[in-house]
Amino acid sequence: MDLRGIPTVIPNQIGGLAAPAAAGGTFAKVAPATGAVICQVARSTRVDIEQAVARARDAQPAWAATTVVRRGEILRKIAILLQEHRAEIAALVALETGKSLKDALGETDAAIEMGFFVAGEGRRFYGRTTTSATPNKTALVMRQPLGVAGLIIAANTPIANVAWKAFPALLCGNAAVLKASEDTPLSAWAFGELAREAGVPEGVYSTVHGFGEEAGAPLVEHPDVAVVSFTGSCGVGRWIAETAGKRLAKICLELGGKNPLIVCDDADLANAVTWTIGSAFSNAGQRCAAGSRILVFDAVYDQFKALLLEAVGALKVGSTDTDDYGPVINEEQMTNMLASVARAQAAGATVLAGGARLTDAGRAGGFYVAPTIIEGAGAAAEISQSELFGPITCLYRVRDFEDAIRLANDSSFGLTASIHTQNIHRAMTFIGRIEAGVAVVNGGTYGSEPHMPFGGLKQSGNGWREAGTEALDVYSDCKTIYINHNPGRV
Ligand code: NAD
């Protein structure tokens, strides 16, 4: 398998075959680093989704009848192939996102790790044995597949996003149809190629490209899709919950965040600055877990602010391995986030750094946004409440621990949160009271490792967790089993 030659038109991969969109449509994929067109992509519509779901429905029973250990072996083979093609995959990720090769390699490694973790779950596919009130009655709980899984992903960490959903969906015995993000078709195509090479049977895993309303919505609406697993924005998530909810499909939503990072008066300020920079700016702030609200105790606010601005001044924006972060994914997102900064300014907030597109030599044409720090936004202001998904963070002055917790929880989101303190009592109280799916002490607002559950409270999701063994709960249902026997008939 040679993934270096990118097709001029990225095809759908349905039932093991590469195919153009049935209606013949295509759209241009633009490189965020330069604004240049990379390739065309199949612009799928309902008819492509119907084909993929039909193939999935036909192929799923035989896949479910394959032992879960065998399914795990095939998934391990995909992970091995990802490892063998690590450099090519990372090059595709770097090209389609504009991030550095170094960051793309890190992301590819995360996808590989997820593959190995989930493959191993094939030999630990634990259910439960328990007791019954009735003698000679054995009570068990086993996992069973759901059928066809519809997977819809965002563009921010594209190969990891595919891995987070495809591996657990397939391990559990489902067939899956993945609707790739329109901004990142290349790595999803590469994953599809490797899944086929690894021996995933035809129809069990399909990749469909296209826009949300044209190709994503028909997958959500399809009556044969038993579980819809979505990573993306709240607005789309809400529509999916309503639409698939009407037919009582299972729905896993991994949505946005407005993640607080608290810096207490006893924090190691150098460490807090390092993690604030990483939380706010890595991957150009395009992380659901990005640290977008930095809450600093009054006593150290000025000192922390000076250190942070110094560190921000040293950040390098560009797409090479010596840069700290690259462009945002498309022009529209860039325009929207900069408009949001301008509105915050008009409402009285101060832009301490950044706030503009970078268009100087080497960055002209790309969608680069300067690292942006905003101060003086009110807690209820739009910029304090809505997710920007870019390299933009807000500083808030807080009186004390109580004030910090109150402000941290004053958000419709509840994904991740971090506190910087040397005080175990503060740290433990924070862990208890913060409204978040992930709580971190003396680190960044970061996602989870493959073996740890990830997801959020409130508007950040609908209660399911991805990654970890918990991901298997999204893609399987339990079956309660009773076996009666009669010792008198031995
Ligand atoms: P988005 O919601 O616009 O798009 C995400 C995906 O949904 C894309 O594939 C898109 O084509 C598809 N889509 C759009 N409209 C659709 C519709 N009507 N029906 C079906 N599919 C549709 O989000 P985005 O801007 O691409 O991604 C950024 C968002 O993703 C942020 O809110 C971010 O926080 C979130 N995110 C969450 C996590 C998490 O694990 N919680 C991880 C990464 C990103």
Side-chain angles (χ1 to χ4, degrees):
M1 176 63 48
D2 185 354
L3 298 172
R4 281 167 302 186
I6 301 171
T8 40
V9 181
I10 300 287
N12 290 332
Q13 294 143 307
I14 298 176
L17 296 173
T26 60
F27 64 95
K29 165 59 193 159
V30 165
T34 60
V37 172
I38 301 172
C39 60
Q40 298 291 314
V41 185
R43 183 172 174 172
S44 309
T45 55
R46 190 172 296 275
V47 62
D48 302 288
I49 294 295
E50 280 171 357
Q51 271 176 21
V53 173
R55 295 302 308 268
R57 197 189 46 214
D58 291 349
Q60 190 268 336
W63 179 243
T66 310
T67 68
V68 65
V69 171
R70 177 67 191 136
R71 294 197 298 263
E73 282 167 4
I74 294 174
L75 299 187
R76 183 179 304 110
K77 177 75 177 155
I78 302 179
I80 290 168
L81 289 170
L82 285 169
Q83 212 163 35
E84 285 172 13
H85 293 274
R86 176 178 180 264
E88 293 149 74
I89 304 255
L92 294 176
V93 170
L95 181 62
E96 68 187 351
T97 62
K99 64 184 74 173
S100 66
L101 192 59
K102 175 185 66 177
D103 286 358
L105 282 166
E107 179 190 322
T108 306
D109 288 342
I112 294 166
E113 271 312 308
M114 184 54 124
F116 283 123
F117 171 74
V118 174
E121 288 294 289
R123 287 200 180 263
R124 280 185 299 265
F125 209 60
Y126 298 135
R128 245 186 312 152
T129 60
T130 184
T131 52
S132 165
T134 309
N136 303 321
K137 184 172 173 180
T138 299
L140 311 169
V141 183
M142 288 169 65
R143 290 188 187 278
Q144 59 184 332
L146 298 165
V148 178
L151 315 177
I152 302 176
I153 55 172
N156 57 336
T157 48
I159 190 67
N161 291 0
V162 174
W164 249 241
K165 293 199 191 295
F167 282 119
L170 294 176
L171 184 83
C172 290
N174 306 289
V177 177
L178 178 109
K179 207 295 279 173
S181 166
E182 55 270 43
D183 287 310
T184 50
L186 302 182
S187 50
W189 162 78
F191 189 96
E193 292 296 289
L194 298 183
R196 188 168 49 82
E197 190 178 333
V200 175
E202 286 177 9
V204 167
Y205 182 74
S206 293
T207 306
V208 183
H209 298 280
F211 296 110
E213 288 183 5
E214 293 174 358
L219 190 57
V220 173
E221 289 164 343
H222 201 297
D224 291 337
V225 173
V227 53
V228 178
S229 180
F230 171 76
T231 296
S233 60
C234 274
V236 176
R238 201 168 287 117
W239 179 82
I240 289 174
E242 283 167 19
T243 307
K246 275 193 197 127
R247 61 183 163 85
L248 302 182
K250 196 168 181 181
I251 304 156
C252 167
L253 302 174
E254 297 295 341
L255 309 176
K258 195 76 189 173
N259 308 285
L261 184 150
I262 299 172
V263 183
C264 298
D265 53 0
D266 62 337
D268 172 342
L269 289 189
N271 188 49
V273 166
T274 300
W275 282 111
T276 300
I277 294 283
S279 300
F281 301 119
S282 63
N283 206 29
Q286 300 170 113
R287 296 188 308 119
C288 49
S292 47
R293 296 185 297 140
I294 313 302
L295 284 46
V296 188
F297 277 36
D298 194 25
V300 292
Y301 185 91
D302 293 330
Q303 197 187 345
F304 176 82
K305 175 174 144 183
L307 289 170
L308 182 65
L309 287 175
E310 193 185 325
V312 166
L315 284 176
K316 294 206 211 88
V317 182
S319 295
T320 74
D321 279 355
T322 56
D323 292 308
D324 294 294
Y325 72 81
V328 297
I329 196 71
N330 62 42
E331 187 160 13
E332 190 187 347
Q333 297 246 13
M334 178 184 68
T335 307
N336 289 345
M337 68 184 72
L338 290 176
S340 188
V341 171
R343 282 197 297 277
Q345 235 176 334
T350 306
V351 177
L352 296 175
R357 181 180 186 175
L358 296 169
T359 52
D360 48 341
R363 289 184 287 217
F367 312 131
Y368 296 96
V369 175
T372 301
I373 309 252
I374 291 169
E375 180 183 55
E382 177 204 348
I383 201 150
S384 302
Q385 292 292 335
S386 56
E387 186 188 38
L388 299 184
F389 221 55
I392 298 162
T393 196
C394 293
L395 276 182
Y396 303 86
R397 197 184 278 269
V398 293
R399 276 190 311 280
D400 52 20
F401 183 80
E402 265 319 305
D403 200 22
I405 291 284
R406 185 193 53 73
L407 189 59
N409 284 338
D410 182 10
S411 170
S412 58
F413 295 106
L415 193 52
T416 74
S418 163
I419 192 167
H420 284 255
T421 180
Q422 307 298 314
N423 181 325
I424 185 75
H425 309 291
R426 275 180 178 166
M428 294 306 292
T429 307
F430 164 82
I431 289 170
R433 288 178 53 192
I434 194 70
E435 294 165 2
V438 181
V440 177
V441 176
N442 294 330
T445 55
Y446 268 71
S448 295
E449 297 169 79
H451 62 292
M452 296 287 278
F454 181 74
L457 310 180
K458 302 198 265 188
Q459 303 283 299
S460 292
N462 65 343
W464 294 105
R465 293 292 181 265
E466 291 209 298
T469 307
E470 286 77 0
L472 306 183
D473 296 336
V474 172
Y475 300 104
S476 61
D477 216 333
C478 63
K479 183 173 275 170
T480 300
I481 297 154
Y482 285 119
I483 304 168
N484 295 289
H485 65 284
N486 182 349
R489 298 185 59 187
V490 169

